[in-house]
Amino acid sequence: MEEARRRTLQLLAPLADEQLNRVYSPILSPLAWDLGHIANFEELWLVQTVGDLEPLHGELGRLYDAIENPRAIRNELPILRGAELRAYLEDVRGRTLEVLEEVDLESGEDPLLAGGFVYELLIAHEHQHTETMLQLIQMIDGYEPVESNATPEPNGVVDGPEMVLVDGGLAEIGAGPEGFAYDNERPRHMVELDPFWIDRAPVTNGDYAEFVRETRTDPPMYWEPDGDGWWVRTAMGRCDAVDPAEPVVHVSWHEADAFARWAGKRLPTEQEWEAAARGADVDRANLDQLSFGCARVGAFADAPSDCGALHMLGDVWEWTSSDFLAYPGFQAFPYPEYSEAFFGDTYKVLRGGAWATRRNVARATFRNWDLPQRRQIFAGLRCAKDAN
Ligand code: AVJ
Ligand code: FE
């Protein structure tokens, strides 16, 4: 929990209070809301629910309820700001640590506490909100990270076939009963897959620029023409040449789907994606935020998934053709608003995690979801094709 908090505060450290309170986009919360929401989620689950204590600020929690308060209105709420916000984070954490002293994680009677589930939930939640914060940080001109790592360079055998084959048959989908996973990843179940081809690597900026040129479709978010027939990236107010060898990022589901059809292919289903990701190594992937961008295709080429695919985890979330639906036998846990409220044909599933995703929340069974028109998320794609 301390490590998660250090990262949250580190990402925000270069920013003035005015920037934390500013609305950069109606589809993203002001950073001060995210920060207060992180602390309030901790208070709700670790202090109030586990510790049976009263909240510090009475009804304050209602302001940080993500379902009750759509992103566009969050800055109009009387949320905590400035020193009061910082004090709330610290006071909640103090009480969390007091409660933790008393807690019995071993008895297994309370499913919330068994295996430390609620603590894992809390950490994953904070990790996911730091990714949301990074979506907004892309819009802040002149943002300079406190700490950053060079993006990993291509290694191993980078050249290979355009697509790799995944055998058909029964595939195990979803997370098993052990360890932390979200409710929407469970229960694990078998699906019958026809054999299919999947791109060995995510679609690159080079591929996507060709699609834009030929179809006159909009470029990805944050691309501007460089005046010389190519493109620059303008995220964080920069002006860097688009690298044709990096995976394309900040495209919508509609754009991803159109690209796949233009290429004579299709998006994979989320089950196909998961089968293709089997054997991918979460420790050999461009994750965890500090590279502040994608790695060129072929980074970790020495660590392919079992079918031979690269970059299944990290760099960009990959759009799938699948709607966000419950797995057979799904049970909401610990609260229906986490996943169940979003099931249906409104949201599309993304898989794999991006450079902006903490390593702790990236895994082959993890299901992310968003609206098909969204581009501020770190989303790209890879294509699939029937094998017969
Ligand atoms: C899984 C990224 C869609 O941001 O709505 C954060 C994660 N859930 N707090 C979201 C989440 C509750 C969720 N996504
Ligand atoms: Fe949240």
Side-chain angles (χ1 to χ4, degrees):
M1 289 190 295
E2 284 175 1
E3 192 277 340
R5 183 58 46 82
R6 270 202 301 280
R7 176 60 57 78
T8 303
L9 297 177
Q10 186 189 52
L11 291 175
L12 299 182
L15 302 172
D17 271 351
E18 185 272 319
Q19 292 170 302
L20 301 184
N21 288 319
R22 190 139 116 208
V23 178
Y24 287 85
S25 158
I27 60 167
L28 287 171
S29 321
L31 292 165
W33 187 93
D34 273 292
L35 197 52
H37 167 85
I38 287 170
N40 183 251
F41 193 86
E42 175 172 334
E43 184 174 43
L44 177 61
W45 289 99
L46 303 191
V47 180
Q48 296 172 241
T49 306
V50 175
D52 213 16
L53 299 176
E54 291 297 311
L56 287 164
H57 294 289
E59 296 286 287
L60 177 75
R62 296 194 55 179
L63 307 180
Y64 294 112
D65 183 313
I67 303 257
E68 256 189 77
N69 304 290
R71 286 177 172 182
I73 64 128
R74 287 178 185 170
N75 209 34
E76 290 149 36
L77 303 169
I79 55 172
L80 298 177
R81 299 172 195 269
E84 252 189 332
L85 172 55
R86 305 281 173 168
Y88 179 57
L89 281 150
E90 280 181 30
D91 294 345
V92 169
R93 180 52 57 89
R95 302 182 101 202
T96 293
L97 296 179
E98 278 166 33
V99 171
L100 185 55
E101 297 283 326
E102 310 294 323
V103 145
D104 177 9
L105 298 172
E106 307 302 323
S107 87
E109 274 163 35
D110 183 348
L112 212 49
L113 292 178
F117 179 91
V118 72
Y119 292 91
E120 297 278 5
L121 172 70
L122 199 280
I123 293 167
H125 183 258
E126 183 152 356
H127 282 164
Q128 286 195 261
H129 274 276
T130 57
E131 178 168 343
T132 315
M133 290 175 159
L134 279 165
Q135 292 168 21
L136 185 124
I137 286 171
Q138 303 306 298
M139 301 176 185
I140 303 181
D141 288 359
Y143 180 87
E144 283 293 340
V146 171
E147 183 187 350
S148 61
N149 296 331
T151 39
E153 286 297 325
N155 65 7
V157 184
V158 174
D159 291 332
E162 181 181 310
M163 300 188 93
V164 293
L165 184 66
V166 183
D167 293 331
L170 281 175
E172 198 169 49
I173 298 298
E178 300 302 319
F180 178 81
Y182 282 110
D183 56 0
N184 64 58
E185 297 169 67
R186 292 182 162 138
R188 180 173 276 173
H189 59 288
M190 303 300 273
V191 299
E192 180 81 33
L193 294 180
D194 290 330
F196 64 97
W197 294 97
I198 193 157
D199 284 348
R200 181 165 172 266
V203 169
T204 63
N205 289 329
D207 303 331
Y208 202 85
E210 185 57 22
F211 166 61
V212 169
R213 198 183 61 77
E214 219 177 279
T215 62
R216 297 170 187 276
T217 195
D218 286 340
M221 192 173 179
Y222 302 119
W223 282 24
E224 297 285 345
D226 74 349
D228 221 11
W230 189 242
W231 304 93
V232 288
R233 291 213 49 181
T234 61
M236 304 197 300
R238 296 182 185 210
C239 191
D240 302 327
V242 166
D243 186 333
E246 287 174 11
V248 70
V249 61
H250 297 299
V251 298
S252 71
W253 182 89
H254 296 298
E255 291 164 333
D257 179 62
F259 177 95
R261 285 185 284 110
W262 172 80
K265 302 176 185 174
R266 59 175 173 79
L267 293 177
T269 66
E270 62 167 321
Q271 288 79 14
E272 287 173 334
W273 189 97
E274 194 168 322
R278 188 140 298 130
D281 184 351
V282 73
D283 292 315
R284 310 274 294 127
N286 182 25
L287 290 160
D288 239 21
Q289 306 177 335
L290 295 185
S291 63
F292 280 89
C294 290
R296 288 190 177 143
V297 164
F300 307 113
D302 56 342
S305 71
D306 292 350
C307 72
L310 306 180
H311 298 244
M312 293 300 293
L313 300 175
D315 291 296
V316 292
W317 288 101
E318 299 180 16
W319 286 111
T320 72
S321 61
S322 302
D323 293 335
F324 186 49
L325 298 175
Y327 286 166
F330 167 85
Q331 285 188 310
F333 180 75
Y335 64 112
E337 291 76 21
Y338 186 79
S339 311
E340 202 174 10
F342 300 93
F343 287 151
D345 58 11
T346 308
Y347 294 88
K348 295 292 184 189
V349 174
L350 301 114
R351 293 298 201 109
W355 65 263
T357 309
R358 295 302 312 266
R359 203 174 300 279
N360 177 55
V361 289
R363 51 186 173 265
T365 60
F366 188 99
R367 308 170 75 198
N368 195 4
W369 66 91
D370 217 317
L371 298 170
Q373 68 272 28
R374 287 291 186 253
R375 315 204 299 166
Q376 90 288 359
I377 55 175
F378 300 97
L381 73 148
R382 86 175 66 216
C383 305
K385 200 162 79 175
D386 295 352
N388 46 25

